[in-house]
Amino acid sequence: MKVVLMTFLNQDSHSEIPDVAKNITPIQFPLDEVGMDEVFIPVTVNTSAQSWQLGGYAKISIDLVKAEARGIHMSRLYLIAHEILSEKELSADVIREVLQAFVESQDGLCHQAFLDLRFELPLLRDALITDFKGWKSYPVTLSSCLKAAPSSEGQDFHLSVNLAVDYSSTCPCSAALSRRFIRDKFLADHQGKEQVSLDEAAQWFDEKGLAATPHGQRSRAFVNLVLVDSLFPFESLIGVIEGALTTPTQTAVKRLDEQRFAVLSAQNVMFAEDAARRVAVALHQDANIKDFDVSVYHYESLHSHDAFARTSKSSLPS
């Protein structure tokens, strides 16, 4: 009996296995999106240092246009995504290939396919002064959609790159108030003196010069980009954003590095409005960027609430 049972299980009897997803649904109307989320997929990403195989998480879906269809061929989407994304270097062309395969796999059930892919990109960062280095992780999300159309009209493919970059922001108002208080404190402590020697001034600054400090906060820029090229120059894009902000958060630091960071912070005080404009101007000058949207958040140390600003390519003068 055991031998007979094993023989039956080993037979190619897929046609005998019920597929209830093919049944007609009692409630009939199309669905905007059907699929899977949090699907783990290794992806290959190149940087100037090396080629990385990173752990990615995907949202994989299609629209269900057949009102009577109970379900989609979900396992086909899963297998296609793994077969292509885990084997090829990540690019816009590869993502489009995945979406096209999604549509073709569904036997007419859909008109559109969607893929959101997120991962953390590791980049090795130099210290500001010393020879130390450290790794920093940058969140990346690729959001894409392919809308199939009649052959005479072609296809509508959309892909955006979403980056998050951390930086430090020192409040200009707080910096100005701190400077004024230190000046007034210096004058008050030396009231009645016609002259103050350099030694006296230096001693005062050593002992009392930090009479007030401006507040700074960790901040984050969220940048949504539409690129011209198929390849993803993540490293250079992040470099453009960090260069505009001047004070990206650091990795390995010694005292000399920390002092340099303090100097940069004092030289580049900025409101959220300043940060958003800086990033937008820098992105506008990059010929590989077709469109962009920038949102910056300053996670306040003075307030319990946060400050933010948002702008886009259309806001800049042509």
Side-chain angles (χ1 to χ4, degrees):
M1 183 67 179
K2 183 176 180 181
V3 174
V4 174
L5 178 60
M6 291 301 297
T7 302
F8 173 78
L9 291 176
N10 289 330
Q11 289 177 350
D12 185 11
S13 56
H14 288 197
S15 60
E16 304 299 327
I17 299 176
D19 185 359
V20 296
K22 292 183 177 180
N23 295 346
I24 295 176
T25 180
I27 305 176
Q28 298 186 8
F29 57 85
L31 296 175
D32 295 334
E33 199 171 353
V34 182
M36 294 158 283
D37 203 352
E38 297 296 315
V39 178
F40 179 79
I41 300 178
V43 293
T44 301
V45 180
N46 279 338
T47 65
S48 62
Q50 65 185 89
S51 179
W52 295 94
Q53 188 170 54
L54 306 173
Y57 289 89
K59 180 182 178 184
I60 299 167
S61 57
I62 60 168
D63 62 341
L64 179 55
V65 297
K66 284 194 174 182
E68 71 278 10
R70 185 175 182 185
I72 69 169
H73 302 291
M74 201 168 290
S75 62
R76 297 180 187 177
L77 300 181
Y78 181 93
L79 295 172
I80 290 168
H82 270 273
E83 180 181 353
I84 298 176
L85 291 175
S86 63
E87 294 295 331
K88 297 185 177 183
E89 179 187 343
L90 202 58
S91 70
D93 291 339
V94 167
I95 290 177
R96 182 167 189 156
E97 179 185 347
V98 171
L99 294 174
Q100 180 66 45
F102 282 174
V103 174
E104 293 173 355
S105 73
Q106 296 301 305
D107 299 329
L109 291 177
C110 68
H111 290 161
Q112 296 184 81
F114 310 92
L115 173 64
D116 290 348
L117 183 63
R118 59 182 175 83
F119 53 89
E120 297 273 337
L121 181 69
L123 294 178
L124 189 61
R125 291 318 206 195
D126 294 328
L128 291 170
I129 299 293
T130 63
D131 293 331
F132 290 94
K133 299 177 184 292
W135 289 100
K136 189 173 177 180
S137 180
Y138 295 86
V140 178
T141 301
L142 304 175
S143 299
S144 60
C145 171
L146 178 69
K147 183 177 182 181
S151 57
S152 60
E153 299 179 14
Q155 294 178 326
D156 184 12
F157 174 62
H158 178 77
L159 170 65
S160 63
V161 178
N162 302 274
L163 302 173
V165 176
D166 288 341
Y167 62 102
S168 175
S169 59
T170 299
C171 175
C173 181
S174 180
L177 293 173
S178 297
R179 285 194 298 267
R180 177 54 61 89
F181 185 86
I182 292 170
R183 188 203 71 166
D184 291 346
K185 176 68 173 170
F186 180 86
L187 293 175
D189 286 356
H190 298 89
Q191 189 173 8
K193 294 184 178 180
E194 293 185 1
Q195 292 184 339
V196 178
S197 70
L198 290 177
D199 287 342
E200 286 181 296
Q203 183 178 357
W204 186 90
F205 277 105
D206 279 341
E207 296 176 354
K208 302 179 181 179
L210 208 62
T213 58
H215 72 82
Q217 52 269 320
R218 182 181 295 183
S219 307
R220 177 168 279 198
F222 298 92
V223 180
N224 184 290
L225 304 164
V226 178
L227 302 178
V228 175
D229 293 338
S230 173
L231 298 179
F232 298 128
F234 297 122
E235 196 168 3
S236 63
L237 292 171
I238 291 169
V240 169
I241 297 166
E242 290 188 335
L245 294 167
T246 309
T247 50
T249 54
Q250 301 296 297
T251 56
V253 293
K254 300 295 282 184
R255 283 177 293 174
L256 284 175
D257 305 306
E258 190 167 354
Q259 183 183 59
R260 178 58 181 164
F261 191 81
V263 172
L264 290 172
S265 297
Q267 293 173 345
N268 294 278
V269 295
M270 53 186 160
F271 294 122
E273 298 92 326
D274 299 317
R277 288 180 173 129
R278 285 188 183 190
V279 175
V281 168
L283 296 175
H284 189 62
Q285 296 170 350
D286 192 324
N288 189 35
I289 299 175
K290 185 187 302 184
D291 198 7
F292 63 80
D293 187 281
V294 178
S295 294
V296 299
Y297 283 79
H298 289 189
Y299 304 116
E300 291 277 358
S301 58
L302 172 64
H303 304 289
S304 296
H305 54 266
D306 301 322
F308 82 97
R310 178 177 172 268
T311 191
S312 62
K313 185 177 177 68
S314 61
S315 300
L316 276 71
S318 56

